[in-house]
Amino acid sequence: MSKGYAVFCDADRRFYDAPHRVTAGRAAAGELYAAAHRPAPEGWQRHRSGDWLAYRPLETTLPAQGWKIHVSACLANAESVLERVWDYCVARSTAFKFVPSRYLLHNRNAKYADRGASGKFMTVYPLDDADCERIAGDLAALLDGEPGPYILSDLRWGAGPVHLRYGSFTERNAYDDDGNLCPAIEEPGGRLVPDRRGPAFHLPEWLDLPDFLRPHLDARSAATFEGVPYRVERALHFSNGGGVYAGRDTRTGEEVVLKEARPHAGLAADGADAVQRLERERDALVRLSGVPQTPEVRDHFTVGDHHFLVLEYLPGKPLNTFFARRHPLIEPDPSAETLAEYTDWALRIYGLVEQAVDAVHARGVVFNDLHLFNIMVSEDESSVALLDFEAATSGADGRRQVIANPGFVAPADRRGFAVDRYALACLRLALFLPLTSLLALDRGKAAHLAQIAADHFPVPRAFLDEAVAEITRGTEPAADTGSGGSGRSRSGRGSGGSGTYLPVQPADWPRSRDSMIRALLASATPDREDRYFPGDIAQFATPSGGATFGYGTAGVLHALAETGADRAPDAEEWLLRRMKEPASGTPLGFYDGLTGIGWVLHRLGHTDEALDLAAVAAAHDWRVLGSDLHSGLAGVGLALDSLAAGTGDGGLADAAARCTALLADRAAGRTATPGASRGDGTPRAGLLRGRTGEALFFVRRYERTGDPALLDLAADALRADLDQCVRSVSGALAVNEGWRTMPYLGAGSVGIGMVLDDYLAHRDDARFADARREIVRAAQAKFYAQPGLFRGAAGMVLYLARTTADGPGTGAADLRRQIDALSWTAMPYRDELAFPGEQMMRLSMDLSTGTAGCLLALGSAYGAPGAPHRDEEGHGRTTASLPFLPPLKRRPQNPVP
């Protein structure tokens, strides 16, 4: 699970939405701090931006960057701290901002909050270093003794809630190592570089620390493990509450686990901080001492104000790791024997987990956080243990869950031991189909998942039906995910027929097409300024994110046009209005910014508006852009080249040529490439972020100019990405990310395979021909964890529908298998067909992660409504496509290996 998604689930039970909209909708109920209702003082301006409410004297001109002061606070003292700092700043005409509600402050300090931003309740903006020293000292005295979480990115002033960090004051942006637009600071030479905001204090190498901060840096370094009889050997896990480390007792040599807890940080739903939860874990494990399925407590101690619990080290691997190792549906055609063997294993493991939970309950303890990552399986797979008891409670208390994995979170009516029974029911399904995060959207989905599991595994039906009965207990049969209900099942609770839960099957084209189109249009929010169609949380990451091709309106309009839908004039007008004066800081990239939006506007006939956006992109300093397709020069150049050809604009043609020269220089190493790695120095690979995007650009430019040197550059780029791939035991080629392998369209091997097809249409290459046959194998699994276009099954559909590779895996039956797999994650929305987004906790309608991408993929497979995928000779008849990856016209003649 990507931890950033959970906070976007509270504002809407169907779609991801910005956290600040929770309090925006509840302001009238008094959920904002009293200060947040105050008007701006005379001579001041007031501005709301996301989670922050800012106040600035009109006559004050802030520096572009400098030392800023952050004030932290706990839930209990936040309003008092706010009142005092407000009065101080207003009296001294000092600009400041603050988090305006208890809800938002809780989110900022929650267990899985962003560790770099956690703890920041107020920000105060000094005018210079002398002003900073004066204000920081004054605030430290004013707030002396007030508790607050330590801000990991900052220097702490003394022992109180005042912290300092050097960073940007005004809105300026640069591209980080991932190619994403981020806040920037200016180096002495004038170059903008990312303003680093990670979970550690960072001083720009060109900046001298002011003398008044030196004692506080020395104090930061003073807390060490000296004198503690344990040695940390490696980190296992981090959260905002602290780390989990593998270590060793230096006295005995015993391997141990050390769990760290930071005071006032890592809040749970009940407000308990990491220290309180660590104490709960210690109490629970002491109560469970002697239970073989739980670790023993060895010790506890503090370093500085950080608390540590020392636990017995249990060898083995978390249960979730066995899915990738054992699950038969990661193969295209598992045998009956393989399915039966896995079923026996899963039932045996479940039995061991159930015994472990029973043993915990027998001691009067509720585990409260059972899921695949908290179950340790021994190396010989003969036993299991339960890990992470920080949420554990006494069964007699009958408390609700306060921490939960999204795929195992219990409904509000489950208390005490019933929470664990619900999680065990989810585990029954997750062992066969780890899709239980969908139950947060609709518990009626449980019956559908049970039926799919029964269709593929020889699992006793009663084992699944008991799980469905427990999960759906208390739901309303007629509830609908489009109207805020608690769950529904079209097929009945026990049987859950896979053909009746959905309003239409994805393979039932064009009925599925029409249903998805209606779902997209029904989800529209035309009165909102930030988005028209709900999608991924990336909509809220940048200005105009809700308008973009990858995550917003432009991409949905493209999918609608590609699949023959009627025009959506209201959505087009919304997009035109938003782009009349694009928000400051809007990226230029194709998938995340102006060029992708402009490209769509042109194809919809809004040429003047498209040219206006293209002119902005053409005039930009491209040296700060990465080279990739998603946000960088490859995508920008492809858009400008296409617009030049479509409009005859010579200036854009010249810009496309300049882009070609710059990318060629970068490829030859003559100029540096911003955003070229994953942040650890490893080159990124794949269609969107890797060098495959460059290869696509060079191929399309070769087709425009006929210059064979461009094909040479494309080949070099493709080889670079293929060098980042590894071959599985089954011969499938996937991108190696160090800790996992990726087959997907966006950052995996299938995206590389798409462009290999385009390259091989022009020039033979034995390595490329071999590679794409191995990439076809990567698109053959029966199960992909998500449906999305770039990180799921829809991308496999698009690839198999388009590829000109021949041989096993490219036939109509192979494509149909992936289309059928889309139904496993599909959901009803207002009685229409829709799909969940990234992390599958909410629906999404965007192109990259949601329903629009699935619509496009199915349109690529079926072509115009009613058309077959391939004719009798096997030639493709696709129509719907991604930009710059049109249906291929001919099958290349591959060399014989």
Side-chain angles (χ1 to χ4, degrees), residues 24 70 116 132 216 242 250 294 313 356 374 407 438 452 550 580 591 601 608 678 702 757 789 806 862 891:
H70 291 122
C132 179
H216 306 291
T250 57
T294 63
Y313 180 86
N374 278 353
L438 296 173
I452 297 168
K580 189 173 183 178
Y591 278 88
L601 288 177
D608 290 342
R678 296 199 303 252
Y702 162 76
D757 284 337
L789 185 63
D806 52 14
Y862 290 107
R891 187 182 302 276

Side-chain angles (χ1 to χ4, degrees), residues 12-251:
D12 190 309
R13 72 168 308 273
R14 292 165 290 169
F15 299 108
Y16 294 120
D17 209 343
H20 68 83
R21 292 187 64 86
V22 173
T23 48
R26 300 176 183 172
E31 295 195 12
L32 296 180
Y33 292 126
H37 293 286
R38 293 181 183 177
E42 186 176 354
W44 287 61
Q45 69 175 14
R46 182 181 191 267
H47 174 66
R48 179 72 188 261
S49 177
D51 286 0
W52 294 97
L53 184 59
Y55 290 79
R56 181 177 67 85
L58 291 171
E59 295 182 357
T60 296
T61 300
L62 292 176
Q65 61 195 49
W67 287 96
K68 60 176 69 174
I69 299 169
H70 291 122
V71 178
S72 66
C74 301
L75 298 180
N77 69 337
E79 192 141 28
S80 171
V81 168
L82 172 57
E83 295 285 345
R84 282 177 279 169
V85 177
W86 170 294
D87 291 343
Y88 175 90
C89 289
V90 170
R92 289 159 182 78
S93 296
T94 298
F96 66 98
K97 67 180 181 180
F98 61 93
V99 175
S101 75
R102 177 186 174 94
Y103 168 79
L104 291 174
L105 180 60
H106 185 284
N107 278 350
R108 187 164 286 270
N109 291 336
K111 179 178 179 180
Y112 289 116
D114 176 11
R115 296 172 66 226
S118 178
K120 297 174 183 177
F121 173 50
M122 302 189 71
T123 305
V124 179
Y125 296 95
L127 296 177
D128 52 37
D129 285 4
D131 198 31
C132 179
E133 180 179 10
R134 181 171 54 255
I135 294 172
D138 288 348
L139 292 178
L142 182 68
L143 303 174
D144 184 41
E146 291 288 354
Y150 182 79
I151 300 174
L152 296 173
S153 63
D154 291 23
L155 277 183
R156 189 176 196 172
W157 186 287
V162 176
H163 303 73
L164 298 97
R165 183 182 76 84
Y166 189 90
S168 60
F169 284 21
T170 58
E171 186 175 345
R172 297 187 296 177
N173 297 287
Y175 287 86
D176 63 15
D177 287 340
D178 292 331
N180 296 317
L181 204 63
C182 67
I185 55 176
E186 184 178 338
E187 293 183 326
R191 185 169 72 103
L192 292 178
V193 297
D195 180 8
R196 291 174 54 177
R197 300 181 176 188
F201 176 68
H202 167 76
L203 188 69
E205 60 184 21
W206 43 266
L207 184 70
D208 293 328
L209 186 74
D211 290 341
F212 70 87
L213 290 178
R214 181 66 57 185
H216 306 291
L217 180 61
D218 294 341
R220 180 187 179 95
S221 306
T224 69
F225 261 55
E226 186 177 353
V228 175
Y230 302 100
R231 180 176 66 250
V232 172
E233 296 184 337
R234 66 187 187 278
L236 301 176
H237 171 71
F238 285 105
S239 74
N240 188 37
V244 181
Y245 310 92
R248 198 166 297 277
D249 188 326
T250 57
R251 299 163 299 186

